[in-house]
Amino acid sequence: MATAAPAGTTAAAAYASLKLHTTPEKFYVEACDDGADDVLAIDRVSTEVTLTVKKDVPPSAVTRPIFGILGTIRLVAGTYLIVITKKKKVGEIFSHAIWKATDFDILSYKKTMLHLTDIQLQDNKVFLSMLNHVLSVDGFYFSTTYDLTHTLQRLANTSPEFQEMSLLERADPRFVWNGHLLREFVAQPEASQVYAGNGFQMESVDLTRGSIPFFWSQRPNLKYKPKPQISKSVNHMDGFQRHFDSQIISYGKQMIVNLVNQKGSEKPLEQTFSKMVNSMANGMVRYVAFDFHKECSRMRWDRLQILMDQLADQQDEFSYFLVDSEGKIVTQQEGTFRSNCMDCLDRTNVIQSLLARRSLQAQLQRLGVLHVGQRIEEQADFEKIYKNAWADNANACAKQYAGTGALKTDYTRTGKRTQWGLIMDGWNSLIRYYKNNFSDGFRQDAIDLFLGNYSVDEVEPASPLHVKKDWKFLALPIIMVVAFSMCIICLLMAGDTWTETLAYVLFWGSASFGTFAIILYNGKDFVDAPKLVQKEKMD
């Protein structure tokens, strides 16, 4: 890429160096950049936010360095302030530092918890653990000087007024991960410089991934692969149309790459997706279905080239964004590949890494870094860095979404499918099965709380956290364990005759198997389902 930064890539910077002064009455956030005198004062009683100066900070305040304010959130005990306490530099874009937030602190406005009942204390503890869970997941990036929420192409086509805005004012709200937490500060534009810049979840410039865009669900029910259910009570086309209208406005032409199975339980999803694209009849949207698992079965991963060849002309037509050494736009990207599988993780990441490599090779050849006929694969050191970057990206996305590392990363890292990779995929699949069924509800509740999909009501009479379990939730597992244990004991401690032993084994074996069948049939009652967002909204 050329070294000159396109217009629009700079903005009113946020403060990079901050101190937090704490007193029983207020939090004071002091800007420590050269020449700065601003202090943000937050009243711990009234929650009022005002802008003051350094001389107003009491000498008795407890002081500590911080690196940004994520915002505030209201829990049972009252309002909490969330700040970044550690950060790590991960790179630069046009000499602008990009940081990853690595540690946080959640500070209560209240000085005591004596006003809470025991149940309220317990609920508040659960909500705090939810916040800590979200903040412990790797992948929160921010910059105090660069707008990470917009592509270079979009930034190069902005107005002078846009360029004068602060990072918070100009940010694309879709990619501001702490947007809900900042709601209390939005009315204080003069204080926007002390926020944590703007943040994003890392995503490719010219590729997008997203769920199959109509109303369907695949709710955990103890089965390894629950059957997807397409809703029959809603207007699918309305939401489908709005989704692609939005995608076209944001990214131009759309090339859908659907990687789900075209047989078995995933088949209805592929068929419905294809029919809806045809019914929409939008010339800006094209559709390709590629049965990833069928085509690549029995380690035939070379067959991915079939898809790459199929998409080559479209990718050349879409092109990429390029500016010259003077900042003049040479080419612009005209569209994006919207790829999906079921969870938009493993299969999607493999295909996106191949598309990205082909685009990068075209750019490097155009810039003269590679000669015509040279391939990225031949540059061993760079190829290793490239593959590891995409495999690390896959793991980061998968850990945020599924709680484990990504599958198929042996292919992303090495270009080959290996036996060890299959073993690791099996292990990660087992962990995913456990988490999806027995801890996914807590993780979803944590995300809903953090993003503002659920707001805590301090005076709510009945907490949604307390869901009374049916008798069979405890009774049936106990009966199954006891029956299975008795079956094993009967095998190890044989009776007087083999017929007696067989009778006992058959009885207890039948009891354990029958109980297991009942549990599996009522699987939805045994999984960890979300509690904060109502079931009707999830369906």
Side-chain angles (χ1 to χ4, degrees):
M1 269 310 248
T3 56
T9 56
T10 57
Y15 292 122
S17 180
L18 302 169
K19 287 183 181 178
L20 175 64
H21 308 279
T22 304
T23 70
E25 295 78 25
K26 292 184 178 182
F27 294 118
Y28 297 90
V29 182
E30 175 191 349
C32 299
D33 292 9
D34 292 340
D37 192 47
D38 290 337
V39 173
L40 192 68
I42 305 172
D43 193 297
R44 297 177 66 175
V45 178
S46 68
T47 72
E48 181 184 7
V49 179
T50 56
L51 200 61
T52 183
V53 292
K54 294 181 181 180
K55 66 181 180 64
D56 293 333
V57 178
S60 60
V62 178
T63 302
R64 60 189 292 195
I66 62 172
F67 301 101
I69 297 177
L70 264 69
T72 62
I73 191 167
R74 185 173 296 276
L75 303 182
V76 179
T79 305
Y80 284 79
L81 177 70
I82 308 177
V83 297
I84 300 174
T85 57
K86 291 182 182 179
K87 65 178 181 178
K88 176 184 177 183
K89 187 175 180 179
V90 294
E92 293 184 356
I93 299 178
F94 296 116
S95 300
H96 295 277
I98 310 301
W99 303 92
K100 178 165 70 173
T102 58
D103 203 5
F104 308 84
D105 205 356
I106 305 173
L107 308 170
S108 175
Y109 279 36
K110 301 289 186 182
K111 291 171 284 187
T112 177
M113 299 290 174
L114 295 177
H115 62 293
L116 300 180
T117 65
D118 289 343
I119 293 177
Q120 288 176 321
L121 280 170
Q122 183 62 34
D123 287 350
N124 199 68
K125 184 177 179 181
V126 173
F127 286 129
L128 283 172
S129 67
M130 289 180 182
L131 291 180
N132 282 310
H133 173 78
V134 173
L135 295 173
S136 69
V137 176
D138 193 26
F140 291 108
Y141 298 91
F142 70 97
S143 175
T144 58
T145 58
Y146 184 81
D147 187 349
L148 291 169
T149 68
H150 295 286
T151 64
L152 281 176
Q153 180 166 310
R154 193 171 299 151
L155 290 173
N157 291 281
T158 55
S159 65
E161 292 77 18
F162 178 88
Q163 297 174 31
E164 293 174 1
M165 294 179 181
S166 70
L167 287 172
L168 181 62
E169 291 172 316
R170 64 189 276 177
D172 187 332
R174 296 176 302 162
F175 305 118
V176 182
W177 41 264
N178 56 331
H180 169 68
L181 303 179
L182 290 173
R183 69 199 185 285
E184 298 291 340
F185 296 110
V186 170
Q188 301 284 335
E190 71 277 7
S192 65
Q193 287 179 286
V194 302
Y195 306 147
N198 54 37
F200 77 132
Q201 305 289 339
M202 186 69 75
E203 186 62 49
S204 172
V205 172
D206 61 350
L207 303 170
T208 61
R209 65 177 78 193
S211 177
I212 298 173
F214 48 82
F215 298 97
W216 64 281
S217 63
Q218 190 181 29
R219 298 184 62 190
N221 59 5
L222 295 183
K223 295 180 181 178
Y224 180 73
K225 191 175 181 180
K227 184 178 180 180
Q229 301 290 332
I230 300 175
S231 176
K232 299 179 181 178
S233 60
V234 296
N235 182 351
H236 292 283
M237 184 54 73
D238 183 45
F240 191 84
Q241 181 77 55
R242 289 201 312 270
H243 169 73
F244 280 105
D245 286 346
S246 174
Q247 290 296 101
I248 291 169
I249 291 172
S250 297
Y251 303 108
K253 297 177 182 177
Q254 296 291 296
M255 183 69 202
I256 301 168
V257 184
N258 190 359
L259 304 171
V260 302
N261 299 344
Q262 295 177 26
K263 291 184 178 181
S265 62
E266 297 179 12
K267 180 179 179 180
L269 296 176
E270 192 283 319
Q271 291 178 326
T272 303
F273 202 169
S274 177
K275 289 178 181 177
M276 293 188 70
V277 172
N278 291 331
S279 298
M280 185 170 61
N282 188 328
M284 298 283 284
V285 180
R286 301 181 187 177
Y287 179 89
V288 169
F290 182 81
D291 192 330
F292 189 107
H293 287 153
K294 176 186 175 183
E295 297 292 343
C296 299
S297 62
R298 299 191 296 277
M299 308 291 279
R300 298 178 301 170
W301 286 64
D302 58 296
R303 294 179 63 81
L304 291 174
Q305 190 59 43
I306 297 173
L307 178 60
M308 292 300 102
D309 293 341
Q310 193 174 357
L311 300 176
D313 289 342
Q314 187 70 69
Q315 188 168 20
D316 293 339
E317 178 187 326
F318 284 170
S319 188
Y320 45 81
F321 177 71
L322 179 68
V323 293
D324 62 19
S325 58
E326 298 178 353
K328 180 181 178 181
I329 298 174
V330 179
T331 63
Q332 297 203 67
Q333 185 175 329
E334 303 296 333
T336 56
F337 289 93
R338 184 199 186 279
S339 50
N340 72 271
C341 43
M342 290 296 288
D343 53 16
C344 302
L345 292 177
D346 311 311
R347 290 172 278 186
T348 294
N349 201 77
V350 170
I351 297 304
Q352 288 200 342
S353 70
L354 296 177
L355 288 168
R357 177 196 276 117
R358 188 177 183 279
S359 178
L360 178 60
Q361 179 161 306
Q363 295 175 48
L364 294 177
Q365 287 178 341
R366 180 165 185 167
L367 296 172
V369 177
L370 292 178
H371 301 303
V372 177
Q374 277 188 307
R375 301 179 61 82
I376 290 178
E377 292 90 328
E378 299 167 358
Q379 319 304 315
D381 292 341
F382 180 80
E383 174 76 348
K384 182 178 180 180
I385 294 172
Y386 175 86
K387 287 180 176 178
N388 282 329
W390 268 95
D392 291 343
N393 174 68
N395 282 331
C397 292
K399 287 177 181 177
Q400 291 169 359
Y401 183 82
T404 73
L407 309 184
K408 305 175 178 67
T409 52
D410 57 324
Y411 180 83
T412 310
R413 290 190 193 278
T414 67
K416 298 178 181 178
R417 199 70 165 108
T418 63
Q419 295 296 332
W420 177 248
L422 289 173
I423 293 173
M424 291 305 300
D425 282 359
W427 175 249
N428 279 329
S429 295
L430 286 175
I431 297 175
R432 283 189 186 182
Y433 171 80
Y434 174 82
K435 290 191 172 184
N436 286 343
N437 285 281
F438 304 113
S439 66
D440 197 54
F442 177 85
R443 292 194 300 122
Q444 184 61 52
D445 284 339
I447 293 171
D448 285 332
L449 178 66
F450 187 84
L451 296 180
N453 297 332
Y454 174 83
S455 297
V456 176
D457 187 348
E458 294 179 51
V459 296
E460 190 171 18
S463 169
L465 296 175
H466 303 289
V467 178
K468 189 175 181 180
K469 291 289 186 179
D470 191 80
W471 65 271
K472 61 177 176 286
F473 178 76
L474 290 176
L476 289 177
I478 292 174
I479 293 172
M480 185 183 71
V481 171
V482 170
F484 182 75
S485 300
M486 292 299 296
C487 183
I488 298 299
I489 291 172
C490 290
L491 286 171
L492 296 176
M493 301 175 63
D496 296 335
T497 64
W498 71 268
T499 53
E500 181 183 357
T501 301
L502 180 62
Y504 282 124
V505 169
L506 288 175
F507 174 78
W508 291 113
S510 299
S512 60
F513 180 80
T515 309
F516 174 75
I518 295 173
I519 292 175
L520 200 61
Y521 180 79
N522 296 277
K524 290 182 179 180
D525 296 332
F526 291 87
V527 299
D528 179 37
K531 300 181 179 69
L532 300 185
V533 177
Q534 294 300 309
K535 176 182 176 182
E536 289 77 14
K537 293 181 181 179
M538 292 191 299
D539 290 340

